[in-house]
Amino acid sequence: MNLWIILIVCWYGILCEVGCRSVHRYKQAPQNLFDEKNKEHWQLQAQWTLRSKVLAPLNKKVAKNVILFLGDGMSITTLAATRAYLGQQRGLNGEELKLSFEIFPYTGLAKTYCVDNNVADSACSGTAYLTGVKANSGTVGLTAAVKRGDCEGQIEGRHSVTGLMDWAQRAVKSTGLVTTTRVTHATPAAAYAHSADRRWEADTDLPSKGPRCDDIATQLVRGRIGSKIDVVLGGGRHNFYPKNEIDPEGYSGYRSDGVNLAREWLIKKKSQGRTPKYLYNRNDLLNLKVNEYDSLLGLFSPDHMPYHLEADGDDPTLTEMTRKAIEMLSKNKNGFFLFVEGGRIDTAHHETKARKALDETAEFAKAVEAAVRMVDAEETLIVVTSDHSHTMTYSGYSKRGTDILGFTNKLNASDSLPYTTLSYANGPGYKPHEKFLRHNLMLDDINHLNFTYPSLVPIVRETHGGEDVAVYATGPWSHLFTGNYEQNYLPHAIAYAACIGNGLTSCQSL
């Protein structure tokens, strides 16, 4: 059953239950509890929310399993717009809907700045929410003592930091990583790598002069943490193949050292006594018999995986990868830690392609919903958050149900030209003014999949935003995630709930 149907059914049941009690109290039931013009609609809705919060028990069990979902660039504005996007696809207004994780009982706000920048990138923020230490922009798995590009600082080692992936492995839990970007991209890299520059994904990316650092792909296969990850699913295959080799789908590799890291991964796992499987297409993933393997590497695209709206069916969806990862990891009696990234929300925003960004957010919500259905809610902590915001705004005074991706339906701007409900503070969607007038958007096909939404400031790639991001949590100790806190607090709270790491845990007495 689809997310929006579930929410409507649940709400209908709530209204019926509370409405029946209203019959006894008021002697007359409301005529239509779904009518927003009916005061009982809002009163009963608010009363149910209140009751659910008052009666919700605190789960203080140890979190056997942890799933951390990260919507890259998933700002609060993106969430609000995606609700409308989903609802309008199904003939509803949309604003009244909730995404799968928005029904989680506990919500907080995380502050995302880097040590050196007021607006975060995915590298420093990834280091914060995966290791518990804030870092400099562009660096992965290193303290702020290392500046971007400082290879010697990376090699030195004493500034390296580890986090949830390492702590879970030390607790003999299974670990997994799922992403729609390259598995060596900044966000997933923060789970296992230490790199002075997020761009050093393959050896070809390293500086030609000076000391040679281990690239991120190499660290995934040979590193102490990366080599122990049980499930890795995503894109970025070319970073694992040498330039003189063609991968299974006919694409050339990118590495300059002549090493085939995909083959090396298989050999290394077998030497550890494991039963590994390497995949590169959706069909093999869906048909995989999880009981026959204990290690899984899936590299489904040479670069980032395609946007959902452009996929041709040869690549698995985020939901499909998440399901398979949970199936694999759930075999461990000690539990697991799984990190799942919806990474193409971010890349779409950078291109100011709001349609793609909202659709990727909807796909992300589906993956969360799938995970919730598969795990035991009493023993699994699920946290959903973002690494940073974007500059997309949601403005105007349009009537309910107005196409979220279209024009506002109120008065035009003071220059008598229309404007879209969604726009960006900066980015490639900027178009020069003509005769002191804005570009007339009526001349554009705003319904096109690759329409770049208007931007105030011209820049090749739209930037991130600096405001706080939302955090949603359910399961053991999920009440720890309320309030406003630094982003690096997240892994400490997760570790407390799961009794992993070297800090305070729920298994210790204060």
Side-chain angles (χ1 to χ4, degrees), residues 472-494:
Y472 304 88
T474 186
W477 295 97
S478 52
H479 54 283
L480 297 179
F481 296 88
T482 57
N484 181 281
Y485 34 77
E486 297 287 354
Q487 195 170 40
N488 68 295
Y489 165 76
L490 292 174
H492 293 275
I494 291 172

Side-chain angles (χ1 to χ4, degrees), residues 183 220-221 230 232-241 245-251 260-267 269-270 275-281 283-285 288 293-302 328:
V183 298
L220 178 58
V221 176
D230 300 289
V232 177
L233 303 175
R237 191 168 57 234
H238 69 190
N239 288 327
F240 294 79
Y241 281 80
E245 282 192 35
I246 303 298
D247 71 22
E249 292 189 321
Y251 296 94
N260 184 319
L261 287 175
R263 185 182 301 120
E264 183 175 320
W265 178 87
L266 278 169
I267 295 171
K269 289 292 185 182
K270 289 178 181 178
T275 308
K277 182 68 174 178
Y278 169 56
L279 303 170
Y280 57 87
N281 63 65
N283 184 64
D284 286 350
L285 178 70
L288 180 75
Y293 305 96
D294 54 21
S295 298
L296 182 61
L297 174 63
L299 300 174
F300 303 105
S301 175
M328 288 283 295

Side-chain angles (χ1 to χ4, degrees), residues 18-30:
V18 183
C20 289
R21 296 181 183 182
S22 298
V23 172
H24 175 75
R25 182 179 298 176
Y26 301 111
K27 306 300 181 182
Q28 181 178 359

